[in-house]
Amino acid sequence: VFSSRADAILEHPTHGPIAILKERHPMLRRHPELVIPIGRAVLRHAVDRFRADRTDANARACMDLVELVTNLNREGLIQSDGQIALYAELAQAAGELLSVAGDSVRVPLMATFANVVDGLAQNADDPQMQAWTSSLVHQLADSLGRSDDGLALGKQYYEMILPIDEAVYKQFEAEESTGEDQTLRRLQAGRRLALTYRGLDRYQDAVTILTDLLTQAPQYIVLQVLAAETLQDWANSGATEKFQHAISGSVPSGNATPVIWGWTRVCNALARSQSHVEMLLDARHRLAACRFAWSSTLSGEARLRQLRAARRDLRLTTRIIPKASEPPWSEKYAQLLQDIEVELGKE
């Protein structure tokens, strides 16, 4: 009953919040501070309704509100000090739709969300807005890229954000400040740019950025994980010589030790911390998967050595980390171990 009354109030054709926004009620120009709470309220309502009943009609209603709020910003009706919070709401709504809606909604939503990003990009001089823009687009692109049908759409998002990521990173490179906060923000900006390059299959550019960052901050484990992932993706794309770098590390010219650690050393570092169990399980699985994939490019004893090492890594992990025996890790580990046993059985 309460839900139906809330629907009736929010969707009243003349006095409801949605109507007020759609009609650009004069009150909004007299009190622009009201646009943000009204916009966030109607977006949350639309998303909640979609969660409860995932129909195309509810998805389209959500999409229409995303577009409406974006247009209000373009018309100058949204105060700049509240844009970040409102666009975070927009990103949540768009992300939810993109992850589960059918193609009839996802395709037009892509164009709608491009307008959202353009709206954010208009505030390119605001570092906080730049970081929000980049982070939300990465989140969407990454979730889309996990499925084959969303991969192309994800790449379009990376193309969309690339100019902003490059501009932000160049800005940090040009600054001479060496304060701790400034250094952290530079590392975060470099990470976002590396993620974008990787998302666009520009692996060399990503590794170049990561090598530069890790030369200055080798203990930044999030970057070390990203670097190992990038080398592994590069190897899987056809540059098979990168498998060894992904496993054992990458040594830039003129260095005696690897700047990029590789999965072996990343696993050792994560194993020393009790707060990174999920990251460790993922890293151990990636290490074994990397050895397994590399083995397919080798022959003879070299091939067997990688297969046996991958099997050893998986078995050891399941013995020493109890969570490896719980879903979803148990299924992932069992499947990879089975694939490895099949290949060893051919010998």
Side-chain angles (χ1 to χ4, degrees):
V1 174
F2 177 80
S3 177
S4 62
R5 287 179 179 174
D7 290 348
I9 293 170
L10 285 164
E11 297 172 10
H12 192 282
T14 56
H15 305 304
I18 296 175
I20 288 173
L21 293 179
K22 284 184 176 179
E23 299 302 322
R24 275 65 167 179
H25 194 284
M27 173 190 68
L28 297 179
R29 295 199 179 275
R30 292 196 302 270
H31 300 284
E33 70 277 7
L34 295 177
V35 177
I36 288 170
I38 293 174
R40 295 184 71 179
V42 297
L43 276 170
R44 285 176 181 172
H45 171 71
V47 171
D48 287 344
R49 174 186 279 188
F50 176 69
R51 285 174 180 157
D53 187 10
R54 295 177 183 247
T55 64
D56 273 5
N58 285 341
R60 287 187 179 280
C62 222
M63 184 176 72
D64 289 344
L65 286 174
V66 171
E67 188 164 16
L68 171 61
V69 176
T70 304
N71 288 335
L72 290 173
N73 180 59
R74 287 180 175 279
E75 295 166 23
L77 287 170
I78 297 179
Q79 294 179 322
S80 59
D81 59 354
Q83 286 179 333
I84 290 176
L86 184 57
Y87 273 111
E89 209 82 44
L90 284 171
Q92 178 184 347
E96 185 123 8
L97 288 173
L98 283 167
S99 63
V100 298
D103 289 342
S104 62
V105 173
R106 288 177 67 187
V107 173
L109 184 61
M110 170 64 191
T112 299
F113 196 72
N115 289 333
V116 175
V117 175
D118 286 344
L120 285 165
Q122 290 175 4
N123 299 275
D125 293 335
D126 184 338
Q128 191 177 9
M129 186 66 81
Q130 290 170 336
W132 266 99
T133 307
S134 181
S135 296
L136 71 88
V137 174
H138 283 170
Q139 182 179 3
L140 287 171
D142 180 59
S143 62
L144 288 167
R146 291 173 192 170
S147 62
D148 291 340
D149 62 334
L151 193 58
L153 196 56
K155 287 187 182 298
Q156 291 181 57
Y157 279 126
Y158 284 124
E159 290 282 6
M160 206 183 293
I161 202 64
L162 178 61
I164 293 177
D165 282 342
E166 288 183 326
V168 171
Y169 186 65
K170 286 178 181 177
Q171 179 182 334
F172 278 112
E173 278 194 311
E175 293 178 358
E176 296 182 358
S177 174
T178 57
E180 185 175 338
D181 183 59
Q182 188 77 352
T183 299
L184 179 59
R185 283 190 290 156
R186 180 176 182 273
L187 292 173
Q188 291 170 339
R191 177 179 176 272
R192 289 194 298 270
L193 179 55
L195 279 166
T196 299
Y197 282 145
R198 189 183 73 169
L200 294 170
D201 301 333
R202 291 174 55 176
Y203 300 112
Q204 180 63 73
D205 291 329
V207 169
T208 298
I209 292 289
L210 290 166
T211 300
D212 176 48
L213 296 173
L214 288 169
T215 299
Q216 303 166 54
Q219 303 297 322
Y220 195 7
I221 194 65
V222 173
L223 285 182
Q224 289 290 0
V225 168
L226 176 58
E229 289 174 351
T230 302
L231 286 167
Q232 188 169 0
D233 287 350
W234 195 359
N236 285 328
S237 73
T240 55
E241 73 280 2
K242 301 300 178 183
F243 279 124
Q244 184 173 3
H245 295 166
I247 293 170
S248 303
S250 177
V251 183
S253 176
N255 282 59
T257 57
V259 171
I260 295 176
W261 293 349
W263 287 122
T264 302
R265 191 171 169 189
V266 165
C267 288
N268 291 339
L270 290 171
R272 291 192 288 270
S273 171
Q274 296 297 317
S275 59
H276 293 121
V277 176
E278 292 287 333
M279 287 179 68
L280 176 59
L281 286 170
D282 184 56
R284 298 284 296 182
H285 184 271
R286 287 178 178 273
L287 172 59
C290 205
R291 292 189 187 280
F292 178 64
W294 189 22
S295 72
S296 67
T297 71
L298 305 172
S299 60
E301 185 58 33
R303 176 174 177 273
L304 288 175
R305 188 161 50 248
Q306 293 305 319
L307 286 170
R308 289 166 182 158
R311 181 175 62 183
R312 181 186 66 242
D313 290 337
L314 294 174
R315 286 177 172 174
L316 178 62
T317 304
T318 55
R319 281 203 305 269
I320 64 175
I321 305 178
K323 200 167 185 176
S325 300
E326 302 172 4
W329 295 110
S330 54
E331 290 90 344
K332 293 181 70 172
Y333 274 67
Q335 183 58 62
L336 182 53
L337 186 58
Q338 180 181 329
D339 294 340
I340 292 168
E341 296 286 10
V342 168
E343 292 302 312
L344 284 169
K346 294 178 181 179
E347 298 299 322

